[in-house]
PDB file of all heavy atoms in Angstrom:
ATOM      1  N   GLN A 246     -10.054 -27.202 -20.845  1.00 92.00           N
ATOM      2  CA  GLN A 246      -9.480 -26.088 -21.588  1.00 92.00           C
ATOM      3  C   GLN A 246      -7.956 -26.033 -21.525  1.00 92.00           C
ATOM      4  O   GLN A 246      -7.308 -25.539 -22.367  1.00 92.00           O
ATOM      5  CB  GLN A 246     -10.109 -24.759 -21.174  1.00 92.00           C
ATOM      6  CG  GLN A 246     -11.596 -24.677 -21.520  1.00 92.00           C
ATOM      7  CD  GLN A 246     -12.149 -23.251 -21.567  1.00 92.00           C
ATOM      8  OE1 GLN A 246     -11.385 -22.282 -21.503  1.00 92.00           O
ATOM      9  NE2 GLN A 246     -13.427 -23.173 -21.530  1.00 92.00           N
ATOM     10  N   ASN A 247      -7.440 -26.429 -20.363  1.00 90.00           N
ATOM     11  CA  ASN A 247      -6.017 -26.261 -20.085  1.00 90.00           C
ATOM     12  C   ASN A 247      -5.194 -27.609 -20.114  1.00 90.00           C
ATOM     13  O   ASN A 247      -4.047 -27.664 -19.772  1.00 90.00           O
ATOM     14  CB  ASN A 247      -5.786 -25.718 -18.685  1.00 90.00           C
ATOM     15  CG  ASN A 247      -6.205 -24.257 -18.594  1.00 90.00           C
ATOM     16  OD1 ASN A 247      -6.509 -23.656 -19.574  1.00 90.00           O
ATOM     17  ND2 ASN A 247      -6.400 -23.785 -17.344  1.00 90.00           N
ATOM     18  N   ALA A 248      -5.954 -28.710 -20.575  1.00 85.00           N
ATOM     19  CA  ALA A 248      -5.428 -30.023 -20.313  1.00 85.00           C
ATOM     20  C   ALA A 248      -4.074 -30.313 -20.968  1.00 85.00           C
ATOM     21  O   ALA A 248      -3.235 -31.048 -20.369  1.00 85.00           O
ATOM     22  CB  ALA A 248      -6.405 -31.073 -20.979  1.00 85.00           C
ATOM     23  N   GLU A 249      -3.668 -29.690 -22.054  1.00 85.00           N
ATOM     24  CA  GLU A 249      -2.519 -30.068 -22.802  1.00 85.00           C
ATOM     25  C   GLU A 249      -1.297 -29.233 -22.400  1.00 85.00           C
ATOM     26  O   GLU A 249      -0.188 -29.594 -22.827  1.00 85.00           O
ATOM     27  CB  GLU A 249      -2.768 -30.072 -24.286  1.00 85.00           C
ATOM     28  CG  GLU A 249      -3.981 -30.844 -24.779  1.00 85.00           C
ATOM     29  CD  GLU A 249      -3.860 -32.256 -24.372  1.00 85.00           C
ATOM     30  OE1 GLU A 249      -2.714 -32.837 -24.403  1.00 85.00           O
ATOM     31  OE2 GLU A 249      -4.898 -32.910 -24.066  1.00 85.00           O
ATOM     32  N   THR A 250      -1.494 -28.182 -21.731  1.00 88.00           N
ATOM     33  CA  THR A 250      -0.364 -27.312 -21.442  1.00 88.00           C
ATOM     34  C   THR A 250       0.081 -27.341 -19.970  1.00 88.00           C
ATOM     35  O   THR A 250      -0.729 -27.115 -19.060  1.00 88.00           O
ATOM     36  CB  THR A 250      -0.789 -25.832 -21.796  1.00 88.00           C
ATOM     37  OG1 THR A 250      -1.333 -25.827 -23.123  1.00 88.00           O
ATOM     38  CG2 THR A 250       0.273 -24.859 -21.624  1.00 88.00           C
ATOM     39  N   PRO A 251       1.348 -27.613 -19.709  1.00 95.00           N
ATOM     40  CA  PRO A 251       1.792 -27.533 -18.254  1.00 95.00           C
ATOM     41  C   PRO A 251       1.560 -26.134 -17.775  1.00 95.00           C
ATOM     42  O   PRO A 251       2.038 -25.144 -18.241  1.00 95.00           O
ATOM     43  CB  PRO A 251       3.280 -27.860 -18.432  1.00 95.00           C
ATOM     44  CG  PRO A 251       3.389 -28.715 -19.640  1.00 95.00           C
ATOM     45  CD  PRO A 251       2.394 -28.116 -20.539  1.00 95.00           C
ATOM     46  N   LEU A 252       0.839 -26.052 -16.699  1.00 96.00           N
ATOM     47  CA  LEU A 252       0.344 -24.790 -16.151  1.00 96.00           C
ATOM     48  C   LEU A 252      -0.131 -25.006 -14.690  1.00 96.00           C
ATOM     49  O   LEU A 252      -0.648 -26.042 -14.365  1.00 96.00           O
ATOM     50  CB  LEU A 252      -0.769 -24.209 -16.925  1.00 96.00           C
ATOM     51  CG  LEU A 252      -1.429 -22.860 -16.520  1.00 96.00           C
ATOM     52  CD1 LEU A 252      -0.353 -21.691 -16.713  1.00 96.00           C
ATOM     53  CD2 LEU A 252      -2.650 -22.622 -17.287  1.00 96.00           C
ATOM     54  N   ILE A 253       0.125 -24.024 -13.788  1.00 97.00           N
ATOM     55  CA  ILE A 253      -0.334 -24.039 -12.438  1.00 97.00           C
ATOM     56  C   ILE A 253      -1.313 -22.831 -12.390  1.00 97.00           C
ATOM     57  O   ILE A 253      -0.897 -21.685 -12.605  1.00 97.00           O
ATOM     58  CB  ILE A 253       0.727 -23.978 -11.397  1.00 97.00           C
ATOM     59  CG1 ILE A 253       1.671 -25.244 -11.588  1.00 97.00           C
ATOM     60  CG2 ILE A 253       0.162 -23.920  -9.986  1.00 97.00           C
ATOM     61  CD1 ILE A 253       2.804 -25.189 -10.629  1.00 97.00           C
ATOM     62  N   THR A 254      -2.565 -23.093 -12.003  1.00 97.00           N
ATOM     63  CA  THR A 254      -3.604 -22.116 -11.907  1.00 97.00           C
ATOM     64  C   THR A 254      -4.076 -21.979 -10.479  1.00 97.00           C
ATOM     65  O   THR A 254      -4.299 -22.948  -9.775  1.00 97.00           O
ATOM     66  CB  THR A 254      -4.785 -22.470 -12.783  1.00 97.00           C
ATOM     67  OG1 THR A 254      -4.343 -22.653 -14.195  1.00 97.00           O
ATOM     68  CG2 THR A 254      -5.785 -21.365 -12.820  1.00 97.00           C
ATOM     69  N   GLY A 255      -4.251 -20.753 -10.013  1.00 96.00           N
ATOM     70  CA  GLY A 255      -4.820 -20.578  -8.721  1.00 96.00           C
ATOM     71  C   GLY A 255      -5.084 -19.087  -8.428  1.00 96.00           C
ATOM     72  O   GLY A 255      -5.378 -18.231  -9.378  1.00 96.00           O
ATOM     73  N   GLY A 256      -5.037 -18.757  -7.141  1.00 91.00           N
ATOM     74  CA  GLY A 256      -5.169 -17.303  -6.702  1.00 91.00           C
ATOM     75  C   GLY A 256      -3.994 -16.803  -6.047  1.00 91.00           C
ATOM     76  O   GLY A 256      -2.963 -17.427  -5.835  1.00 91.00           O
ATOM     77  N   GLY A 257      -4.018 -15.436  -5.800  1.00 83.00           N
ATOM     78  CA  GLY A 257      -2.906 -14.786  -5.265  1.00 83.00           C
ATOM     79  C   GLY A 257      -2.257 -13.749  -6.161  1.00 83.00           C
ATOM     80  O   GLY A 257      -2.723 -13.601  -7.344  1.00 83.00           O
ATOM     81  N   GLY A 258      -1.272 -13.041  -5.712  1.00 78.00           N
ATOM     82  CA  GLY A 258      -0.718 -12.001  -6.478  1.00 78.00           C
ATOM     83  C   GLY A 258       0.143 -12.437  -7.587  1.00 78.00           C
ATOM     84  O   GLY A 258       0.392 -11.668  -8.602  1.00 78.00           O
TER      85      GLY A 258
END
Side-chain angles (χ1 to χ4, degrees):
Q246 293 197 15
N247 294 344
E249 305 305 323
T250 305
L252 179 69
I253 299 176
T254 304

